[in-house]
Amino acid sequence: MSDSCTAPDPRWPEPVTETVPPPAKAAEARAVAAAFAESLDPPPSATAVQDLLLLVSELVTNAVRHAGSVSALAFGADATSLYVRVADPSPDRPQQRVPDLTGAAGGFGWPLVQRLARKVTIRNHPGQGKVILAALPR
Protein backbone atom coordinates (compact mmCIF):
# COMPACT_ATOMS: atom_id res chain seq x y z
CA MET A 1 0.00 0.00 0.00
CA SER A 2 1.33 3.41 -0.82
CA ASP A 3 0.81 6.31 1.50
CA SER A 4 0.96 9.28 -0.85
CA CYS A 5 0.39 12.88 0.19
CA THR A 6 1.50 14.44 -3.08
CA ALA A 7 -0.25 15.59 -6.24
CA PRO A 8 -2.80 13.23 -7.81
CA ASP A 9 -1.36 10.12 -9.41
CA PRO A 10 -1.84 10.49 -13.19
CA ARG A 11 -2.66 6.78 -13.48
CA TRP A 12 -5.94 7.29 -11.59
CA PRO A 13 -8.67 8.15 -14.09
CA GLU A 14 -11.11 10.94 -13.53
CA PRO A 15 -14.27 9.67 -11.85
CA VAL A 16 -16.94 8.46 -14.20
CA THR A 17 -19.59 8.46 -11.50
CA GLU A 18 -19.67 10.44 -8.27
CA THR A 19 -22.52 10.08 -5.80
CA VAL A 20 -24.24 13.29 -4.79
CA PRO A 21 -24.92 13.37 -1.92
CA PRO A 22 -22.43 10.77 -0.67
CA PRO A 23 -23.96 7.60 0.76
CA ALA A 24 -24.74 7.45 4.47
CA LYS A 25 -24.77 3.62 4.54
CA ALA A 26 -22.85 0.78 2.95
CA ALA A 27 -26.03 -0.53 1.29
CA GLU A 28 -26.45 2.77 -0.59
CA ALA A 29 -22.81 2.64 -1.71
CA ARG A 30 -23.21 -0.95 -2.94
CA ALA A 31 -26.26 0.04 -4.98
CA VAL A 32 -24.32 2.88 -6.64
CA ALA A 33 -21.34 0.58 -7.26
CA ALA A 34 -23.59 -2.07 -8.83
CA ALA A 35 -25.21 0.52 -11.12
CA PHE A 36 -21.77 1.81 -12.10
CA ALA A 37 -20.55 -1.71 -12.95
CA GLU A 38 -23.72 -2.40 -14.98
CA SER A 39 -23.11 0.75 -17.04
CA LEU A 40 -19.68 -0.37 -18.23
CA ASP A 41 -19.08 -1.73 -21.74
CA PRO A 42 -17.58 -4.25 -21.84
CA PRO A 43 -18.89 -5.32 -18.47
CA PRO A 44 -16.44 -6.37 -15.77
CA SER A 45 -16.31 -10.02 -14.75
CA ALA A 46 -18.77 -11.28 -12.16
CA THR A 47 -15.88 -11.76 -9.75
CA ALA A 48 -14.72 -8.17 -10.30
CA VAL A 49 -18.23 -6.88 -9.56
CA GLN A 50 -18.46 -8.96 -6.36
CA ASP A 51 -15.04 -7.68 -5.27
CA LEU A 52 -16.05 -4.08 -6.08
CA LEU A 53 -19.23 -4.36 -3.99
CA LEU A 54 -17.36 -5.87 -1.05
CA LEU A 55 -14.54 -3.31 -1.23
CA VAL A 56 -16.97 -0.36 -1.42
CA SER A 57 -18.98 -1.78 1.46
CA GLU A 58 -15.88 -2.08 3.65
CA LEU A 59 -14.52 1.38 2.79
CA VAL A 60 -17.85 3.11 3.41
CA THR A 61 -18.51 1.15 6.61
CA ASN A 62 -15.05 2.09 7.90
CA ALA A 63 -15.55 5.77 6.99
CA VAL A 64 -18.91 5.91 8.77
CA ARG A 65 -17.68 3.96 11.80
CA HIS A 66 -14.31 5.67 12.28
CA ALA A 67 -14.74 9.13 10.69
CA GLY A 68 -18.47 9.71 11.17
CA SER A 69 -19.41 9.95 7.49
CA VAL A 70 -18.43 9.67 3.85
CA SER A 71 -17.73 13.04 2.24
CA ALA A 72 -17.33 11.73 -1.34
CA LEU A 73 -17.64 8.48 -3.29
CA ALA A 74 -16.57 8.14 -6.92
CA PHE A 75 -15.92 5.35 -9.40
CA GLY A 76 -13.83 5.05 -12.54
CA ALA A 77 -12.71 2.35 -14.95
CA ASP A 78 -10.29 1.66 -17.74
CA ALA A 79 -9.59 -1.44 -19.82
CA THR A 80 -7.90 -3.33 -16.98
CA SER A 81 -9.09 -1.82 -13.69
CA LEU A 82 -12.00 -0.55 -11.64
CA TYR A 83 -11.31 2.44 -9.39
CA VAL A 84 -12.96 3.61 -6.19
CA ARG A 85 -12.43 6.89 -4.31
CA VAL A 86 -13.83 7.28 -0.82
CA ALA A 87 -13.28 10.50 1.12
CA ASP A 88 -14.07 11.08 4.77
CA PRO A 89 -13.59 13.99 7.19
CA SER A 90 -10.96 12.33 9.40
CA PRO A 91 -7.22 12.70 8.76
CA ASP A 92 -6.59 9.46 10.69
CA ARG A 93 -5.21 6.63 8.58
CA PRO A 94 -6.78 3.16 8.65
CA GLN A 95 -5.13 1.02 11.31
CA GLN A 96 -4.22 -2.61 11.04
CA ARG A 97 -5.82 -4.34 14.02
CA VAL A 98 -5.91 -7.91 15.19
CA PRO A 99 -9.31 -9.21 14.02
CA ASP A 100 -11.75 -9.97 16.83
CA LEU A 101 -12.85 -13.54 16.19
CA THR A 102 -15.86 -13.07 18.48
CA GLY A 103 -17.20 -10.44 16.07
CA ALA A 104 -17.55 -7.76 18.75
CA ALA A 105 -14.76 -5.37 17.70
CA GLY A 106 -14.18 -6.00 13.99
CA GLY A 107 -10.68 -5.69 12.58
CA PHE A 108 -11.42 -7.53 9.32
CA GLY A 109 -12.29 -4.62 7.01
CA TRP A 110 -8.93 -2.98 6.30
CA PRO A 111 -7.09 -6.29 5.65
CA LEU A 112 -9.92 -7.25 3.31
CA VAL A 113 -9.61 -3.95 1.41
CA GLN A 114 -5.88 -4.51 1.01
CA ARG A 115 -6.41 -8.06 -0.19
CA LEU A 116 -9.10 -7.18 -2.75
CA ALA A 117 -7.36 -4.14 -4.22
CA ARG A 118 -4.45 -4.22 -6.63
CA LYS A 119 -3.35 -0.86 -5.23
CA VAL A 120 -4.50 1.33 -2.34
CA THR A 121 -3.39 4.94 -1.92
CA ILE A 122 -4.28 7.27 0.96
CA ARG A 123 -4.03 11.01 0.49
CA ASN A 124 -4.35 13.60 3.24
CA HIS A 125 -6.28 16.76 2.58
CA PRO A 126 -5.41 19.17 5.43
CA GLY A 127 -8.58 20.39 7.09
CA GLN A 128 -10.69 18.09 4.90
CA GLY A 129 -9.74 14.59 6.04
CA LYS A 130 -8.46 11.96 3.65
CA VAL A 131 -9.19 10.19 0.39
CA ILE A 132 -8.67 6.47 -0.09
CA LEU A 133 -8.15 5.38 -3.70
CA ALA A 134 -8.37 1.71 -4.58
CA ALA A 135 -7.82 -0.09 -7.89
CA LEU A 136 -9.22 -3.56 -8.54
CA PRO A 137 -8.68 -5.89 -11.47
CA ARG A 138 -11.50 -5.59 -13.99
Side-chain angles (χ1 to χ4, degrees):
M1 172 182 76
S2 67
D3 216 29
S4 176
C5 297
T6 60
D9 185 335
R11 292 171 293 203
W12 292 92
E14 287 303 311
V16 173
T17 299
E18 186 159 355
T19 61
V20 179
K25 299 183 212 173
E28 295 170 13
R30 284 191 303 272
V32 174
F36 168 74
E38 288 175 14
S39 74
L40 296 174
D41 186 26
S45 70
T47 299
V49 173
Q50 290 172 348
D51 289 350
L52 174 68
L53 297 179
L54 184 53
L55 182 125
V56 166
S57 186
E58 290 298 331
L59 288 175
V60 168
T61 297
N62 286 348
V64 170
R65 178 177 290 154
H66 300 291
S69 67
V70 173
S71 51
L73 174 64
F75 300 94
D78 61 24
T80 62
S81 300
L82 301 173
Y83 301 93
V84 179
R85 292 180 181 164
V86 177
D88 69 51
S90 172
D92 297 337
R93 306 262 180 185
Q95 299 295 312
Q96 191 79 26
R97 297 185 295 144
V98 175
D100 179 357
L101 299 178
T102 68
F108 294 94
W110 188 242
L112 186 57
V113 166
Q114 293 175 306
R115 186 171 185 99
L116 291 170
R118 176 183 296 151
K119 179 179 179 183
V120 177
T121 303
I122 303 168
R123 296 200 179 113
N124 282 341
H125 289 274
Q128 299 177 27
K130 68 181 166 298
V131 176
I132 298 177
L133 307 146
L136 299 96
R138 187 170 176 162

